[in-house]
Amino acid sequence: MPASPGRDLLLRPDRIWDAVQDGPVTEQAVLVRDGRIAAVGHHLTATAQTDTVAMPGCTLMPGFIDCHVHLLDETAETAPSAYQALTAVPALRTLLHHGFTTVRDLGSAHLPLNVSLRRAVQDALIEGPRIIAAPNILSPPGGHSDKAPELAQRYGHQIGTLADGEHELRRAVREQSRAGADWIKFAGSGGFTSAVASPDSTSYTQAEMHTITDTADDLGLPCATHALSDRAVRRAVAAGVRSVEHGYFATATTYQTMKEAGIFLVPTQYVQTYFLDRLDDDSFWTSDRAAMRRTYRAHAEHLREGLQRPARTGVTMAFGTDAGLFPYADNWREFPTLMANGFSSLRVLRSATSTAAALLKRPDLGTLTPDTAADLVAVEGNPFHDITATGRIRHVIQNGRLITAHPTTS
């Protein structure tokens, strides 16, 4: 239930974690006023203009930020644009009700529909997290986002935002800016779902990557790159991207270079365990996924090793899931997956709050401190002791509005 207009909210959980300190504190309350955090302290009291929400057994913390989602259903990419957009509506509601108050949507292959979804959420036409949008994934022909090369070969119709060479890439980046981009996303390598390019390939030359990042920088836009191979990651780092997505086959030396350059890694690890854990389940791999299954089998051992590598380095890690390739209700599972692969609970929880906000250059998000946006989540239990608490959402508050006070199940 939303708070009454013009009224404050006083939140009384068992514990509060502000994403600044190294752990939660007890016996404090949070006052929310006009969509922002007004005060945090021990002796806050309610007035006649205050609605009080008790949160027994809960840890209150900043709303989760997922820096890598895909809101549009890939299976609907050849459907009419209105239908494609509508497929995102239940996904957005699911993400918000599971504690994700901000998401960075890193593009679809073809139409820049996430920009319209961003506006629809802002205008309260649909319920969902705040959206930060990279409209499309720039890819060379035959690259990761060339989604249906057989259509191009047979009918001359391409599904994907395809460009290579300096002239085409400059124009493609400018088109993304014109469409309303917050970010530019490009495919620096192939991937496990690529129709043609393999995960250990490199898609763009060094000069081409520089063209993308330089043009984006001219327009005030940061760049994210899908990059799995070490060579692709190194080229992207040299080109000055702000974030590397996935990076599974990058070396420890490359991660150190990223750290020194101030470049973030968004490791998206649960999505890989989701597929790896099902490699022997014949019922999971439909005929149209046969090639994807072969690719996973060919790289499984190398991939499992790669998932363990980032936690042993000092690379700055921001939370992202690749939700859309698996059910949106499960993106909280990235938290325990990261811990299983060696990250500490503090590093993991910061990755989805203050570190994610730093990646996005949004100081108004990601901490539970006075004068920041009142985007908050109350989880049942203490996630520092049991990370699966991130899957037990009791309350979600967005811009000061109590969105839900009903427990979700993990």
Side-chain angles (χ1 to χ4, degrees), residues 269 308 335-343:
Q269 295 195 345
Q308 297 282 333
F335 289 104
T337 301
L338 290 168
M339 285 195 66
N341 286 326
F343 288 99

Side-chain angles (χ1 to χ4, degrees), residues 79-139:
S81 59
Y83 181 83
Q84 290 186 53
L86 288 170
T87 65
V89 174
L92 285 163
R93 187 178 190 277
T94 295
L95 287 165
L96 181 60
H97 282 247
H98 282 75
F100 290 86
T101 53
T102 299
V103 298
R104 183 179 59 160
D105 184 279
L106 285 181
S108 58
H110 199 43
L111 298 172
L113 298 177
N114 56 10
V115 174
S116 296
L117 293 170
R118 180 185 66 197
R119 180 178 175 184
V121 170
Q122 289 172 345
D123 293 345
L125 297 178
I126 56 176
E127 186 178 56
R130 176 186 294 101
I131 297 172
I132 295 167
N136 299 123
I137 307 169
L138 305 185
S139 172

